[in-house]
Amino acid sequence: MDEIDSSLQKHGVSDVQMGYVGLDRLRQTAQSNMILQFLPNLSILVPFLEVTTNQEYLVNRIRQLARGGCMSDFKWNGGGRFNDKEWNNTLPSDSQIMMHLFITYMDTQLLPVPNHPEIKPFSGHYYIKLNEEVPSGVKFAIQHCRENPPHFRVHAGGEVYEIAQGYNNLFHTILFFLHRVNEIEYGMLGGINLGRSGVNILWVIDN
């Protein structure tokens, strides 16, 4: 994010900095001809920031979580201080932020379904949003079940798997989802190999 902010300044767009402008302004900037030519990564980054309209909090929190190792400041059912005030549930929890970053990353790795190119390849097919009806016949999906405290579960192979609540729910949900895809579909999801010959994300569950 810092590199993109620096590049925006170099190209004379110093009034647009992540965390200081709204999503709409950021999207408009990302789609301008000059930015598409000289800074195409901005349009790739924007979807990662769509988890909340409070861009100042989000960008600051992502930077905080990125410091040090192993996201030591991660609070599964809360977040960081904002404007010298404690986190409250009008802001996304760290679990919500990290899940959004994961599904958005996966959107960039899978191919769109030919018959439905307008639907995001991962979050539109393998992620069930909060209060969204579970599609009939769903084979693989991560489901967001509860907002406060955050809770996720996994649908795989016609079964629904409840993942233990609490601090590790987010991480165990992602790992178990990948495990079941690897076990049932030999690592293939949406026609893409999640293993070494493709996305190379399955190494996190290798023995």
Side-chain angles (χ1 to χ4, degrees), residues 15-151:
D15 59 331
V16 176
Q17 297 285 285
M18 283 180 291
Y20 293 95
V21 297
L23 269 173
D24 287 342
R25 178 76 185 282
L26 205 57
R27 288 191 191 101
Q28 290 172 1
T29 302
Q31 294 305 312
S32 68
N33 291 333
M34 181 185 70
I35 297 301
L36 284 171
Q37 181 178 358
F38 295 106
L39 193 56
N41 285 344
L42 180 58
S43 62
I44 297 173
L45 182 64
V46 168
F48 287 89
L49 304 177
E50 292 176 343
V51 66
T52 177
T53 57
N54 193 326
Q55 293 295 287
E56 183 180 0
Y57 173 78
L58 176 62
V59 170
N60 183 60
R61 188 57 182 159
I62 291 174
R63 285 183 168 130
Q64 289 174 346
L65 291 171
R67 293 187 194 129
C70 302
M71 294 197 305
S72 57
D73 195 38
F74 177 78
K75 296 179 176 63
W76 74 278
N77 61 345
R81 292 178 62 84
F82 180 59
N83 288 338
D84 293 324
K85 295 180 181 179
E86 294 296 329
W87 179 91
N88 62 73
N89 58 19
T90 65
L91 301 169
S93 66
D94 287 351
S95 290
Q96 289 173 275
I97 291 172
M98 296 312 301
M99 181 59 80
H100 179 77
L101 294 180
F102 170 73
I103 65 175
T104 305
Y105 168 74
M106 293 300 292
D107 280 335
T108 69
Q109 301 302 303
L110 301 188
L111 297 174
V113 176
N115 294 337
H116 299 284
E118 75 285 358
I119 300 177
K120 293 181 178 180
F122 185 88
S123 59
H125 294 281
Y126 303 105
Y127 185 70
I128 304 169
K129 298 176 183 177
L130 185 68
N131 299 324
E132 190 173 64
E133 186 176 346
V134 178
S136 60
V138 61
K139 189 170 184 181
F140 290 105
I142 291 173
Q143 182 182 8
H144 186 188
C145 308
R146 190 174 60 235
E147 187 169 24
N148 292 305
H151 185 72

Side-chain angles (χ1 to χ4, degrees), residues 186-200:
Y186 305 100
M188 298 295 294
L189 189 68
I192 298 295
N193 193 325
L194 302 186
R196 292 181 181 179
S197 64
V199 179
N200 195 23

